[in-house]
Amino acid sequence: MPSPPPQPTPDAAPGESERARSPLPWLGWLVRLATGALVGLALLGPIASGDLFWHLRTGHWILDEGRLPRVDPFSHTAGLEPWILQEYGSQVVFALVERLGGLGAVRVFGCLLALALLVCVQRFAARRLRPAWADLAMVLFAALYALKWELRPHLISGFFALATIELLFPRGAFSDSERRLPKPKAWLALGLLSCVWVQLHAEALFAPILAAAGFIGAASGVLFERARPGNLAALRTYAVCFVSALGGTLASPLWFEPHYYALFRRSVPEQYIEEWFPAWILPGAPRFEPVTLALFGLLIAGVLVALAVQAIEWLGRARGRRRIELPRLAFLGACMVLALKARRFFWLLWFPALELLGSALERFPRLAAAGLLPRLLCVPLLALLADSHYVHGALGAARGGAFADNVDSRRFPVGAAGFVEAADLRGNLFHPYEWGGYLGYMLGDDNPVFIDGRTVLFEDVIPERWMAERDPAVAERVLRDRDVSVIVFRRFVERNGGWAPWRPPGADSTWVRAYADSKAEVWLRDDDSGNVERLAQHWAERGVRFDPARGYDELALLLAEPAAQAELRLLEPAVYARLPHELLERAAGDRLEPLGWLDLAARCAELNLGRAARHALLRGMETAGSAPAQIDARLIEAKGRGLLPAIQQTAAELGP
């Protein structure tokens, strides 16, 4: 009589015995490679996270000073407000990587972290599901994690989160035939893990929070299931786990400060932050951009799954059927609550989804044995991941030929920051909220920032900056009281559903326009003689005509350096394409006749390039020589058509 086939041991991976006969195993590798490629692209693409730059700068400060900063050394607004540092260990790690290989090395490091996290997630799922379904679970995790595939310290934190959950809620297969509790050695490991984790990231507070969830679940078992054996043991076990995890998180130079921050310092006035992400971003919100409609649907589905897991289990318990131990059920509930609390915890919805998937596969063995179905289900999830914010941005950079750039010039004022540095302009900055980290990183101590991504540190400054952008009277007061010398601001801001130019109060009188491209403008206070002199010298060295009384205009730079359009994107491509390029070429070579300058001025005025139009008009009048009558006739003609308000303004300035 033949012997029965070998059965997997209780602790074996659910799909281990079926691995050899899994249909089309190469599909599994294809799914993993596709997921890794998309996630790797997101982290390897041009840096799109403004927070990374102040993280790097903080890491360098710690390395140089040999201590943690207690107050902010980077801004001119935070003053002596205590700075509760949250990620000092990760900041040092990122700074060391950058010192070794620059921002390119940081991008590669982030990519490797993300790929390693995917590997850990797949193995975490493979201990609970068969291989094909574990691959599907990995792709689902990558999609739910879509808002966090960016270069920030939380990438290091992800490994510790998975390890903590494995220690607190050990599971093999989803069958609940035997109770699984953390073993004594796990208690010690949890304390050590929490201690190391809190040195890297304040998300280490997950450890005591999730242990507390297990304790609450065990306490519920003691109260409502007194007759069930082992409930007291579970209560004692999770009590020890909580103490161990909490003790580990307190073993840091900051002691209780991260806990205080998490519990009591989350009151930033979000209504003042146009750039802020509320907990749940709804379609139509000002900052819905990072969440596609498909991803939003997945997040809603994740919440519904978490609710379904809780409802199914409690209905089963009411009928005398228990499947999930109460500590683990409480953990799944905690995942849902944290995901509802903030977008950065959306990915925790993966654990209830994994639970429901495992339960369904346990109930339907034939479905569990399927190898092709779960891999086909990966296709829509991979499409969703490809269209998510950071992956889509990296793919867009690749299509635009900018993938090799270290910094995403679509998100940060790369040209303006480079100009401020090259011209050696110094002084306190005023700028948009999301540019502070990048400007501080690029410009250093000579240009203290107004604000950056450290929201709690700038809790009182956020409304001030928000109002200064929108109310000229407030802006005038803020710029004066904060002693701002250099403004680096968006060239256009969104107002009432459209785009409008932004100018500081007193533009062209108390503020000198120093630089502009299609994204940003730089303004200097006109009574800051040192900056104005350095600005004039900088433009003179580049052969660019510049008059501080009238300020900088793009045409002057374009004529002196024709390649500037391609390098800096001075003008939007659609606007640049409509300029008369033959006239530009002749003007750049000093071969343009007076009437040609007027034609160039007219075209600039038609494109709403008023400063460029006035520049061309002045050049035309300078070169008129013995033919001023021709110039006067063309000006009269232009005025009559009413097409050239900028030229009329210049004519008025010149006088009779």
Side-chain angles (χ1 to χ4, degrees):
M1 185 175 181
S3 59
Q7 298 295 321
T9 62
D11 293 325
E16 197 169 294
S17 63
E18 291 84 359
R19 193 180 305 274
R21 53 190 176 90
S22 178
L24 302 176
W26 58 270
L27 277 178
W29 285 107
L30 185 61
V31 166
R32 294 167 207 161
L33 288 173
T35 309
L38 291 175
V39 170
L41 276 173
L43 275 301
L44 201 57
I47 297 171
S49 171
D51 287 344
L52 173 69
F53 296 104
W54 66 260
H55 283 306
L56 286 172
R57 197 176 179 196
T58 304
H60 288 305
W61 193 96
I62 295 171
L63 288 171
D64 293 338
E65 298 291 330
R67 59 188 176 90
L68 301 183
R70 305 304 296 176
V71 295
D72 173 38
F74 305 139
S75 78
H76 61 90
T77 55
L80 299 179
E81 179 73 17
W83 183 11
I84 303 175
L85 209 57
Q86 296 288 294
E87 306 96 351
Y88 54 88
S90 295
Q91 290 163 342
V92 168
V93 171
F94 274 85
L96 287 171
V97 171
E98 195 219 8
R99 286 192 174 181
L100 289 173
L103 288 177
V106 175
R107 293 164 65 189
V108 172
F109 179 62
C111 176
L112 294 176
L113 282 176
L115 295 179
L117 183 58
L118 281 181
V119 170
C120 291
V121 166
Q122 200 277 342
R123 291 184 176 179
F124 186 96
R127 286 192 288 272
R128 294 154 172 80
L129 305 172
R130 298 187 180 189
W133 292 100
D135 291 340
L136 174 63
M138 176 196 65
V139 181
L140 177 61
F141 176 90
L144 286 171
Y145 207 76
L147 295 180
K148 298 194 75 173
W149 293 125
E150 61 173 332
L151 271 172
R152 291 183 63 185
H154 66 259
L155 287 174
I156 298 177
S157 183
F159 302 94
F160 290 86
L162 288 175
T164 296
I165 292 167
E166 188 71 35
L167 287 172
L168 283 170
F169 309 100
R171 297 291 297 174
F174 274 81
S175 173
D176 198 25
S177 57
E178 62 176 294
R179 182 187 294 269
R180 290 175 179 268
L181 293 175
K183 298 177 180 178
K185 64 179 181 181
W187 308 342
L188 298 175
L190 186 61
L192 179 60
L193 183 77
S194 303
C195 180
V196 176
W197 190 3
V198 80
Q199 315 305 321
L200 296 167
H201 201 291
E203 277 185 4
L205 296 183
F206 270 170
I209 289 173
L210 297 180
F215 176 80
I216 292 171
S220 300
V222 171
L223 289 174
F224 303 114
E225 299 178 351
R226 297 178 184 176
R228 196 169 190 208
N231 280 335
L232 284 174
L235 184 65
R236 289 193 297 268
T237 296
Y238 282 104
V240 173
C241 287
F242 172 74
V243 172
S244 178
L246 182 62
T249 59
L250 290 172
S252 87
L254 299 180
W255 184 235
F256 189 70
E257 286 184 352
H259 308 70
Y260 172 76
Y261 170 89
L263 294 173
F264 305 112
R265 291 298 305 276
R266 302 300 301 174
S267 58
V268 176
E270 297 178 7
Q271 68 269 25
Y272 288 109
I273 312 177
E274 184 183 57
E275 304 86 0
W276 187 259
F277 299 95
W280 277 84
I281 308 172
L282 302 177
R287 292 295 300 226
F288 187 65
E289 177 192 14
V291 185
T292 63
L293 284 173
L295 180 58
F296 181 77
L298 180 65
L299 299 174
I300 294 296
V303 173
L304 295 177
V305 165
L307 288 170
V309 169
Q310 297 286 322
I312 291 170
E313 180 59 26
W314 286 111
L315 286 174
R317 286 175 179 273
R319 296 172 182 176
R321 294 193 299 270
R322 304 180 182 87
R323 194 186 65 81
I324 305 176
E325 291 289 348
L326 279 173
R328 194 157 60 95
L329 185 62
F331 152 67
L332 297 174
C335 289
M336 182 180 64
V337 171
L338 289 169
L340 287 170
K341 176 178 172 54
R343 71 181 187 95
R344 63 187 180 278
F345 301 145
F346 284 160
W347 65 276
L348 289 172
L349 295 171
W350 183 70
F351 294 100
L354 190 66
E355 181 74 31
L356 191 62
L357 181 60
S359 175
L361 296 178
E362 181 185 296
R363 188 172 180 181
F364 302 102
R366 289 188 178 181
L367 185 63
L372 185 59
L373 176 62
R375 281 152 186 166
L376 290 176
L377 293 175
C378 289
V379 174
L381 288 174
L382 286 171
L384 187 153
L385 179 62
D387 195 42
S388 62
H389 184 62
Y390 296 107
V391 179
H392 186 269
L395 290 172
R399 288 191 295 267
F403 193 80
D405 296 343
N406 280 326
V407 179
D408 191 340
S409 59
R410 297 167 299 180
R411 297 184 62 86
F412 302 107
V414 175
F419 171 78
V420 173
E421 182 180 28
D424 193 24
L425 307 179
R426 308 165 195 166
N428 293 341
L429 293 173
F430 181 74
H431 49 78
Y433 172 84
E434 69 273 22
W435 289 359
Y438 173 72
L439 290 172
Y441 171 85
M442 288 295 299
L443 303 179
D445 295 339
D446 285 340
N447 297 95
V449 299
F450 192 91
I451 191 174
D452 55 31
R454 298 167 291 168
T455 52
V456 173
L457 183 64
F458 294 106
E459 187 171 11
D460 297 329
V461 182
I462 289 171
E464 179 181 309
R465 188 217 65 84
W466 191 91
M467 291 298 296
E469 179 179 336
R470 289 158 177 79
D471 188 331
V474 175
E476 185 174 11
R477 174 179 55 80
V478 168
L479 296 174
R480 180 185 65 248
D481 294 348
R482 294 293 189 181
D483 193 25
V484 171
S485 295
V486 182
I487 296 174
V488 181
F489 216 83
R490 289 183 291 255
R491 184 165 184 175
F492 298 98
V493 294
E494 191 173 3
R495 290 289 179 269
N496 301 321
W499 294 92
W502 186 89
R503 300 287 185 271
D508 296 321
S509 57
T510 57
W511 290 92
V512 177
R513 191 176 192 247
Y515 169 87
D517 55 35
S518 60
K519 187 171 191 63
E521 291 185 333
V522 178
W523 296 82
L524 299 181
R525 190 178 291 279
D526 72 338
D527 58 2
D528 189 337
S529 57
N531 272 337
V532 174
E533 289 174 5
R534 285 189 290 271
L535 172 66
Q537 180 180 355
H538 173 79
W539 284 130
E541 290 173 353
R542 296 178 65 171
V544 177
R545 288 178 173 243
F546 174 74
D547 180 359
R550 292 187 173 86
Y552 157 91
D553 69 84
E554 295 84 343
L555 183 60
L557 177 57
L558 194 60
L559 296 179
E561 301 177 11
Q565 169 64 21
E567 295 173 2
L568 301 172
R569 191 168 172 159
L570 291 179
L571 302 170
E572 287 292 344
V575 173
Y576 180 72
R578 293 176 61 190
L579 286 174
H581 292 279
E582 181 183 352
L583 293 179
L584 288 177
E585 292 175 4
R586 289 165 56 195
D590 287 331
R591 294 180 288 108
L592 194 59
E593 299 297 326
L595 296 183
W597 282 108
L598 287 185
D599 289 337
L600 181 58
R603 185 63 63 85
C604 289
E606 290 170 0
L607 295 174
N608 294 319
L609 301 175
R611 292 176 186 271
R614 291 195 293 275
H615 178 91
L617 174 63
L618 291 172
R619 295 291 298 274
M621 299 194 75
E622 287 175 5
T623 58
S626 60
Q630 291 179 310
I631 296 287
D632 292 342
R634 291 296 288 270
L635 284 176
I636 293 171
E637 178 186 352
K639 290 180 182 179
R641 293 202 311 266
L643 297 176
L644 304 180
I647 292 181
Q648 295 178 35
Q649 179 182 345
T650 304
E653 292 176 358
L654 292 173

